[in-house]
Amino acid sequence: EDFANALNLGAKRLFCPANNPNCLNKIQIKTFSTSGKAGTILPTKQNLKEAFAEIANKAQPEDIVMIYFAGHGISLNATDTYFFLTQEARTGNKEELAK
């Protein structure tokens, strides 16, 4: 949440003209957290899939897309595949995650 706040401040400073400091139409930040604070989204698999689909549908070649993950995950041996464990993860079992 702190990283999202810092990113928001920096993006406004970089992309918003002085006469329109709110220019929220240019900056879109989604904050996934289990804190329950206002403005956050639960980090479920479905919510993350929807967010990535939205990016895929809306992003233009001139856009800047930044994705920051802070959490837990696991990688499968002998592959470059990394699994970010979402809120509903109940196991770190590699065989179960590979399904």
Side-chain angles (χ1 to χ4, degrees):
E1 291 169 32
D2 290 337
F3 188 84
N5 289 333
L7 186 61
N8 188 42
L9 289 171
K12 283 182 180 178
R13 188 177 245 181
L14 181 63
F15 297 114
C16 295
N19 62 347
N20 183 11
N22 291 322
C23 74
L24 298 177
N25 61 327
K26 290 188 173 196
I27 302 166
Q28 298 174 22
I29 297 175
K30 292 185 184 287
T31 305
F32 294 85
S33 174
T34 57
S35 73
K37 291 182 183 175
T40 63
I41 303 166
L42 287 174
T44 64
K45 183 176 181 178
Q46 184 61 37
N47 286 346
L48 288 166
K49 286 174 80 172
E50 289 173 7
F52 280 111
E54 183 179 347
I55 292 168
N57 288 329
K58 288 184 176 180
Q60 299 297 308
E62 65 275 7
D63 290 342
I64 297 170
V65 176
M66 179 176 178
I67 299 168
Y68 174 82
F69 282 106
H72 300 279
I74 191 166
S75 64
L76 297 180
N77 294 338
T79 71
D80 292 332
T81 303
Y82 182 82
F83 293 93
F84 184 78
L85 299 177
T86 59
Q87 176 186 0
E88 66 268 65
R90 297 292 176 246
T91 182
N93 182 290
K94 294 177 183 183
E95 289 76 29
E96 287 293 316
L97 294 171
K99 291 181 182 179

